[in-house]
Every structure is written in structure tokens, then in C-alpha cells.
């Protein structure tokens, strides 16, 4: 089941696609260098981990060598003092290795969690810079998955993959050198089975990589269903259309597929590893056989054979783990590729090099032959030109999908124009920094969004430094203060998800109060009184008078009664301005506006 919502006014969008299943895992030098950059801030801790691993690898060699001395010297010579020293040395080595292991685990956790912390911050900041069109096209579940499970999944890259690789490499090198120093013939015999461990590894890595990609995609689908059906709006829609069973079946199917993929991923290569474990028993048997022959010939001691077999286990263990590490590295590469897919999306709307913080106070807003399309082959606006003079009210009217909201979204650069220019005070809005431009625009939408917090929290979102008196004054101007004070907890009342505990008119007036607290010179109102009852509409209109006073205002309205006193009215149809003038002049014109007016105000005759 797919659900999607396009941009307003009937515009389209280009859905972002990531053909993860079609690409092959690519452990390129560029990818590895890109991953390595995340470790650079923690190079000191990383070097300390490597030092600990080297010391631990060397200490791990001592117990087998001490056992050799116990068997070959202390016991045959019945030397109790030497026996005690050797046993205590072995015990001390074990204790020191354990302490180093604790230090290593702490450093591993610190580095891996710090990298995840940095990546989540980077991803959140990056997603903040993405244009509105990105969120119109991408699934919300996809965004959540990349922000959470994908990034969290890479924390094991250091704590497990990198550290284990380095640890196993140090153990492998130190053990191999020790074995060849002890007896090169036995050492050569012991390493003969190692190629059997390595050969099938690449194939297993590719299998795990593909399964990891598919698993993360299923997690994205799962998050999408949860996001859509268990949010307030989705939940109500599901209940009202009695789709609980359908949605449950859909979720159950996706959950089943995700579980199946996880099981396949966890089992991938297990049979292979079982066969490898069989090979590990071959080496010791060969050592006992050939070592026994050397013992009989007087070339080797019993203690040396036992120590050799013990060290051989230290040789095979890292080899087996490193073959499995290759599989883990491939899986980690899959996660990094998914994360880097997002990082590689360049924000289309950014500050121009010459942009500066510019004020819009007392300045006209002018559209000059502006055209725009959500898709390259589909134009939503055609040659829009008009001027909203400073301190005046400009109204946009027209049928749904005509392009009214699109026009207003271009002013704060939520979208970028394809051609033409928008100027404030004669200067292109591209000369404004995004922060300074948007800080001077107040937007009140039909679908008011409130956070699941208190009324106070939602109001102070506009200006955290606003005092109690300022907040109350804004609410009085928005005709919502008396209602708030009638609530048991007043301004500390929790509004619920998306303000569900409040009516549409109450949410709208809180939204207006929030913009009043911001006090911007430019106000945009998008269908602020649409779908409200008469009483709510009255209060909204009173609040609008306070909000729009002395501001440069652009108001979208379906109810023409709210904009009859506008300084100019633009009639938008099919992405173009087809009429403009005052209310009276447009009525006299007998065009589209007159038709809209007659449909709203002509007497309704009941059949």
C-alpha cells in the first residue's frame, strides 16, 4: 500500500528514488576515506585503543608460554618456587588483560557513541536545510529510518568491526611470529589450512550486504505505516473509514517480510562458519601428529607441543573472526551508503554568496514575471506580476489548485522560482539571507500546527524571550486570552498532538497570537477562516485586524466576505492572474470574481 501527498495547489513533485537493491556493495577508497573522516576528531582515543590492543595481543601470548615452562621445567624438576612464580605470572597476566579489556570497551563505547552523536546532528542539520519539495516527495518513514536505525546501526563499525579487525590483526601477527620462532616446521603445517577460511568469504559478504539493504528498506516501510496510521490525522482517518483490519494486515505483512529478512541475514554464512570450525580441528591434529614424531625423535618437548596447540587456537580464532568481519564490513558499507545518499542531496535553496541581513520594514513586495513548476515538465505558475505595496492588504482568490498557496510559498523561498524575480524594496529576495528573510514573514496557514506541549510553549516558539505581559497582550489581540484563562491550567494547558484538544478556531487564534508575538513586517494568511463556524470566523476576523494593522499583508481567502476591504484583489486561475482590482471594480467587471461572488452570496433556494 502506498500513500503520498503532493504539494499544495495541485502541483506535482519528483519522488526521490534510491535503487539500493540494484547497486552492488562498493568498498571503494573514496567510501573508506569518507567513513574515516568521522574518526578524525577522536584520533587520540583511537590511538590509545590501538596501543591497548597491541599490549593485549602481547600479553595473550604469555599464558601458553608459561604453561610450557610449567610442564617442561617446574613439574619435572619438582621446583615448587618456580611453579608458584609461573602460576602467579599467568594469573597476573590474565588480570591485567581483563583490566585492559575494560579500558578498551570504555574507549570503544565513547568513540562509537560520539560518532553516532555527530552523525545524527549532521543529518538533522542537513535535513533542516532541505527544501519543502524534498518533504513533499520523500516518505516520512524513510527519513525516520535514516535518522535512527541506519545511523544507530553504524555505531558497531568502530566498537566491533574496526576494533575487532585491529585486535585480530595484532593477535594474528604476534602469534604467527611466535609460532615460527618456536618451530618453523610446525608453524608452516599449522597455517596450511588458513586458505580454507578465506576463499568463500567474499560471496558471503555480498549476500549479507544485499540482505542488509533489503532489511533497512522494510524498516522504512514499517516506519512509514506507523507514522501515517498512528499519527492523530492518520488514526482518525483509519477509524472513520474502519480500515483497522486492512492497515493491520498491511503492517503485519511488512513486519513479516522484515522479520524474514532479519532471520536470513542472521543465518547468512552460519553453515559456512560451521564448516570453518571443522577445519580448525584439523590444524591441532596435524600438530599433535607431527609434533609427536618430533618429540619421539627428541626434537621437541611435551610442553612445547601443548603451548604450540594453544597458540594455534589464537591463530585460527582471529582468522575466523576476520573472515566474518569482512561480512560485517560489507553490511556497514550498506548502511553508510544509505546515509551518504542523504548527505549527497544538496539543498537547492541556500544563501547566495552576496546575501546579507536586510530589513523588509516598510517595503513593497513585487513579483516580476514569475514562473514556477514543481516538475520540470509541468508549470504551476505562469508569468505572475504584481506589487503588494507596503502597509497594504493584497488578497488572492480563485478556485482550489489555481496556484495561490504556491505564490505565497515563493516569498519566504520555501520553493525557488524557475524564472522571473521577487523583490522586496526593489531588491531580489536572493539578496536576503534566508534567516533574515523568513524572520520578517509571519505565516498563518489553514492547517494550524501546534506541538504536543502547553499553550505557553507553542506561543513562546515565536520568541523565547517574550515576557508574560507580551504573551498575554498578543493573546488578547488575537481574542484567545479569555478562552485560555477559562481552562483549568490556563497557559499551561497541554494541547495534545497537533493541538487536537482544541477546536479549529481556537488553534487558529493561538496561531495568530504566535505570529503577533513574532511581530514581522510581512504577514501571509492562507485560508485562515476556511471551514470555521460563524462565531469562530468572527473572532478570527477581529484577530486579523490586530495582526494586519500596519503590515504588508497577502491573504488567501475562499470566503470573499473576509477580503472585501482589501487594497487589491488578485484572481488566480490555472497559475495565472486573470483579474485584479478592488472588490467594487471587480464586481463591475463581471468576470471570474463576479462569478465567485454570486455563487457565495446568491440566495439559496431549497427544492
Amino acid at each position: 500500500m502506498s500513500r503520498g501527498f503532493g504539494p499544495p495547489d495541485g502541483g506535482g513533485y519528483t519522488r526521490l528514488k534510491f535503487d539500493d537493491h540494484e547497486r552492488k556493495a562498493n568498498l571503494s577508497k573514496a567510501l573508506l576515506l569518507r567513513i574515516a573522516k568521522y574518526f578524525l576528531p577522536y584520533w587520540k582515543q583511537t590511538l590509545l585503543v590501538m596501543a591497548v590492543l597491541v599490549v593485549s595481543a602481547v600479553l595473550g601470548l604469555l599464558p601458553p608460554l608459561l604453561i610450557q615452562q610449567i610442564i617442561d621445567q617446574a613439574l619435572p624438576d619438582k621446583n615448587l618456587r618456580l611453579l608458584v612464580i609461573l602460576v602467579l605470572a599467568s594469573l597476573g597476566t590474565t588480570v591485567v588483560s581483563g583490566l585492559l579489556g575494560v579500558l578498551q570497551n570504555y574507549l570503544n563505547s565513547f568513540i562509537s557513541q560520539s560518532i553516532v552523536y555527530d552523525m545524527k546532528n549532521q543529518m538533522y542539520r542537513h535535513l533542516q536545510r532541505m527544501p519543502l519539495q524534498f518533504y513533499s516527495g520523500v516518505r516520512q518513514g524513510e527519513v525516520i529510518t535514516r535518522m535512527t536505525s541506519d545511523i544507530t546501526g553504524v555505531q558497531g563499525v568502530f566498537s566491533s568491526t574496526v576494533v575487532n579487525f585491529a585486535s585480530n590483526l595484532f593477535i594474528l601477527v604476534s602469534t604467527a611470529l611466535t609460532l615460527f620462532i618456536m618451530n618453523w616446521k610446525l608453524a608452516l603445517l599449522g597455517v596450511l589450512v588458513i586458505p580454507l577460511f578465506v576463499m568463500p568469504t567474499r560471496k558471503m559478504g555480498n549476500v549479507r550486504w544485499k540482505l542488509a539493504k533489503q532489511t533497512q528498506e522494510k524498516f522504512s516501510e514499517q516506519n512509514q505505516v506507523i507514522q501515517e496510521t498512528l499519527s492523530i490525522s492518520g488514526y482518525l482517518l483509519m477509524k472513520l473509514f474502519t480500515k483497522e483490519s486492512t492497515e493491520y494486515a498491511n503492517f503485519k505483512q511488512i513486519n513479516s517480510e522484515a522479520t524474514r529478512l532479519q532471520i536470513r541475514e542472521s543465518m547468512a554464512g552460519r553453515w559456512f562458519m560451521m564448516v570453518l570450525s571443522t577445519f580448525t580441528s584439523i590444524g591441532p591434529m596435524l600438530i599433535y601428529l607431527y609434533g609427536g614424531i618430533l618429540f619421539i625423535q627428541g626434537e621437541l618437548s611435551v610442553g612445547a607441543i601443548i603451548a604450540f596447540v594453544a597458540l594455534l587456537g589464537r591463530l585460527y580464532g582471529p582468522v575466523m573472526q576476520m573472515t566474518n568481519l569482512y561480512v560485517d564490513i560489507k553490511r556497514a558499507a550498506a548502511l553508510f551508503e544509505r546515509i551518504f545518499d542523504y548527505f549527497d542531496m544538496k539543498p537547492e535553496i541556500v544563501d547566495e554568496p552576496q546575501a546579507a541581513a536586510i530589513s523588509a520594514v516598510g517595503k513593497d513586495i513585487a513579483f516580476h514575471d514569475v514562473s514556477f513548476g514543481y516538475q520540470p515538465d509541468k508549470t504551476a505558475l505562469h508569468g505572475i506580476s504584481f506589487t503588494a505595496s507596503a502597509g497594504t492588504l493584497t488578497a488572492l482568490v480563485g478556485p482550489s489548485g489555481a496556484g495561490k498557496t504556491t505564490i505565497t510559498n515563493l516569498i519566504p523561498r520555501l520553493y525557488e522560482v524557475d524564472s522571473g524575480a521577487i523583490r522586496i524594496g526593489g531588491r531580489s529576495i536572493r539578496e536576503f539571507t534566508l534567516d533574515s528573510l523568513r524572520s520578517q514573514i509571519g505565516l498563518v496557514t489553514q492547517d494550524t500546527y501546534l506541538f504536543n506541549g502547553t499553550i505557553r510553549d507553542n506561543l513562546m516558539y515565536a520568541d523565547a524571550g517574550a515576557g508574560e505581559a507580551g504573551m498575554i497582550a498578543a493573546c488578547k489581540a488575537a481574542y484567545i486570552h479569555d478562552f485560555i484563562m477559562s481552562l483549568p491550567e490556563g497557559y499551561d494547558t497541554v494541547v495534545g498532538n497537533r493541538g487536537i484538544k482544541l477546536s479549529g478556531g481556537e488553534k487558529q487564534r493561538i496561531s495568530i497570537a504566535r505570529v503577533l508575538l513574532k511581530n514581522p513586517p510581512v504577514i501571509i494568511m492562507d485560508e485562515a477562516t476556511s471551514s470555521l463556524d460563524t462565531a469562530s470566523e468572527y473572532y478570527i476576523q477581529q484577530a486579523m485586524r490586530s495582526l494586519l494593522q500596519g503590515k504588508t499583508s497577502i491573504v488567501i481567502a475562499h470566503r470573499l466576505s473576509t477580503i472585501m476591504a482589501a487594497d487589491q484583489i488578485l484572481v488566480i486561475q490555472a497559475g495565472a492572474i486573470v483579474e485584479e482590482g478592488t472588490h467594487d471594480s471587480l464586481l463591475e467587471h463581471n468576470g471570474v470574481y463576479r462569478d465567485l461572488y454570486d455563487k457565495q452570496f446568491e440566495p439559496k433556494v431549497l427544492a
Side-chain angles (χ1 to χ4, degrees):
M1 180 182 294
S2 64
R3 307 173 186 83
F5 299 94
D9 297 331
Y13 56 78
T14 302
R15 180 171 290 279
L16 298 168
K17 296 182 179 179
F18 305 100
D19 300 322
D20 290 335
H21 306 315
E22 303 302 322
R23 297 184 305 190
K24 292 186 177 181
N26 182 22
L27 284 173
S28 64
K29 182 180 178 181
L31 177 63
L32 293 176
L33 287 175
R34 193 169 183 181
I35 294 171
K37 288 181 180 178
Y38 288 96
F39 294 92
L40 287 179
Y42 311 101
W43 65 270
K44 292 180 181 178
Q45 292 88 342
T46 303
L47 285 179
L48 183 56
V49 169
M50 295 301 129
V52 170
L53 292 178
V54 171
V55 175
S56 297
V58 173
L59 288 177
L61 297 172
L62 296 181
L65 298 177
L66 292 171
I67 290 173
Q68 178 184 357
Q69 296 302 312
I70 290 172
I71 294 174
D72 290 343
Q73 292 188 26
L75 294 181
D77 296 344
K78 298 179 181 180
N79 189 333
L80 181 59
R81 182 174 178 276
L82 179 60
L83 177 62
V84 171
I85 292 173
L86 292 173
V87 169
L88 290 176
S90 182
L91 180 61
T93 300
T94 303
V95 171
V96 173
S97 295
L99 292 174
L100 288 174
V102 172
L103 175 60
Q104 176 194 321
N105 287 334
Y106 168 76
L107 292 171
N108 292 351
S109 179
F110 175 82
I111 295 171
S112 60
Q113 292 295 342
S114 296
I115 290 172
V116 169
Y117 170 82
D118 292 341
M119 292 190 78
K120 282 188 175 181
N121 287 343
Q122 182 185 359
M123 179 66 80
Y124 188 83
R125 190 62 175 151
H126 180 71
L127 291 173
Q128 283 184 317
R129 296 190 179 106
M130 296 304 292
L132 185 59
Q133 195 162 1
F134 166 81
Y135 292 99
S136 300
V138 74
R139 298 178 300 176
Q140 288 302 302
E142 180 78 16
V143 174
I144 293 171
T145 300
R146 308 255 173 160
M147 268 294 298
T148 55
S149 60
D150 280 3
I151 293 180
T152 304
V154 305
Q155 74 179 52
V157 172
F158 184 83
S159 62
S160 297
T161 308
V162 174
V163 171
N164 284 345
F165 177 81
S167 176
N168 289 319
L169 181 62
F170 296 149
I171 292 172
L172 188 65
V173 172
S174 61
T175 304
L177 287 173
T178 303
L179 288 175
F180 275 95
I181 290 171
M182 290 176 65
N183 190 300
W184 69 270
K185 296 178 183 178
L186 283 180
L188 192 61
L189 184 64
V191 301
L192 286 177
V193 298
I194 289 180
L196 298 175
F197 300 159
V198 179
M199 289 184 293
T201 302
R202 183 177 181 83
K203 184 176 181 180
M204 285 299 103
N206 287 331
V207 171
R208 282 282 298 276
W209 175 82
K210 291 178 180 178
L211 290 173
K213 285 278 192 179
Q214 294 172 20
T215 300
Q216 293 304 112
E217 284 296 322
K218 284 300 171 186
F219 284 157
S220 295
E221 290 184 36
Q222 201 173 65
N223 286 335
Q224 177 73 6
V225 173
I226 294 171
Q227 175 78 12
E228 290 187 343
T229 61
L230 297 184
S231 64
I232 287 294
S233 300
Y235 174 82
L236 288 174
L237 190 68
M238 177 176 65
K239 287 291 183 182
L240 293 174
F241 284 89
T242 63
K243 291 294 184 180
E244 293 96 332
S245 298
T246 302
E247 296 294 353
Y248 173 73
N250 182 44
F251 179 82
K252 185 178 180 181
Q253 179 184 351
I254 295 173
N255 195 23
S256 174
E257 292 172 359
T259 303
R260 177 180 56 82
L261 286 168
Q262 283 182 292
I263 293 172
R264 285 184 61 194
E265 183 183 351
S266 65
M267 292 302 296
R270 296 303 175 189
W271 291 104
F272 164 65
M273 296 306 296
M274 186 198 73
V275 173
L276 290 186
S277 65
T278 303
F279 291 153
T280 59
S281 63
I282 296 176
M285 293 302 104
L286 291 175
I287 296 301
Y288 282 129
L289 176 61
Y290 187 54
I293 294 173
L294 294 178
F295 171 74
I296 293 172
Q297 294 176 349
E299 297 184 21
L300 203 64
S301 67
V302 173
I305 296 174
I306 294 174
F308 213 97
V309 171
L311 289 172
L312 199 62
R314 279 179 56 83
L315 185 70
Y316 290 165
V319 171
M320 289 186 65
Q321 289 190 41
M322 289 178 77
T323 57
N324 201 41
L325 277 174
Y326 179 78
V327 175
D328 293 336
I329 290 171
K330 298 288 276 189
R331 189 188 192 285
L335 294 177
F336 272 111
E337 283 185 354
R338 283 175 53 84
I339 294 167
F340 291 154
D341 275 339
Y342 265 30
F343 284 149
D344 288 340
M345 294 181 208
K346 302 299 182 185
E348 298 173 0
I349 301 175
V350 295
D351 285 334
E352 298 290 330
Q354 76 280 6
I358 307 173
S359 173
V361 176
K363 296 177 181 176
D364 299 343
I365 300 174
F367 278 62
H368 297 276
D369 197 25
V370 170
S371 295
F372 169 78
Y374 292 103
Q375 296 177 343
D377 57 345
K378 187 177 180 181
T379 303
L381 298 177
H382 317 269
I384 300 293
S385 295
F386 72 91
T387 298
S389 299
T392 65
L393 170 60
T394 298
L396 307 180
V397 300
S400 297
K404 304 183 296 299
T405 299
T406 300
I407 290 173
T408 58
N409 282 339
L410 292 176
I411 298 172
R413 291 183 69 192
L414 297 178
Y415 297 96
E416 202 78 280
V417 301
D418 293 334
S419 62
I422 302 173
R423 294 188 172 90
I424 296 179
R427 305 185 69 165
S428 170
I429 58 174
R430 291 181 181 232
E431 296 182 38
F432 290 67
T433 60
L434 288 171
D435 283 347
S436 70
L437 174 65
R438 292 168 182 170
S439 69
Q440 296 173 76
I441 297 173
L443 178 62
V444 180
T445 62
Q446 176 185 358
D447 184 20
T448 301
Y449 187 90
L450 299 180
F451 295 107
N452 186 10
T454 65
I455 293 175
R456 185 188 308 277
D457 293 336
N458 278 280
L459 290 168
M460 291 301 189
Y461 195 74
D463 182 4
E468 188 82 5
M471 179 183 69
I472 292 174
C475 289
K476 285 182 177 179
Y479 290 83
I480 192 65
H481 173 72
D482 291 341
F483 165 75
I484 295 173
M485 295 308 296
S486 71
L487 299 172
E489 298 181 41
Y491 282 90
D492 294 316
T493 300
V494 177
V495 301
N497 287 326
R498 300 182 66 88
I500 193 171
K501 295 180 181 180
L502 304 176
S503 71
E506 290 157 1
K507 289 192 293 184
Q508 196 67 275
R509 279 179 279 161
I510 289 175
S511 176
I512 290 175
R514 185 164 57 188
V515 175
L516 280 166
L517 269 178
K518 184 180 180 181
N519 194 29
V522 178
I523 299 292
I524 297 172
M525 300 193 74
D526 188 351
E527 306 286 6
T529 61
S530 178
S531 304
L532 296 180
D533 59 78
T534 304
S536 294
E537 182 181 0
Y538 169 79
Y539 284 119
I540 294 297
Q541 288 180 352
Q542 299 305 310
M544 284 173 61
R545 288 193 179 97
S546 301
L547 178 64
L548 303 181
Q549 188 173 9
K551 310 289 186 183
T552 304
S553 309
I554 299 177
V555 176
I556 297 172
H558 276 138
R559 294 189 180 184
L560 302 184
S561 59
T562 62
I563 49 89
M564 288 181 181
D567 296 286
Q568 69 171 336
I569 299 172
L570 307 178
V571 182
I572 313 299
Q573 195 170 49
I577 299 175
V578 295
E579 293 176 4
E580 58 183 302
T582 63
H583 169 72
D584 292 335
S585 66
L586 288 173
L587 286 180
E588 294 176 359
H589 185 65
N590 288 324
V592 177
Y593 183 82
R594 180 61 189 242
D595 184 55
L596 291 172
Y597 178 84
D598 289 342
K599 287 178 179 178
Q600 286 191 25
F601 291 98
E602 67 182 4
K604 301 295 187 298
V605 179
L606 297 177

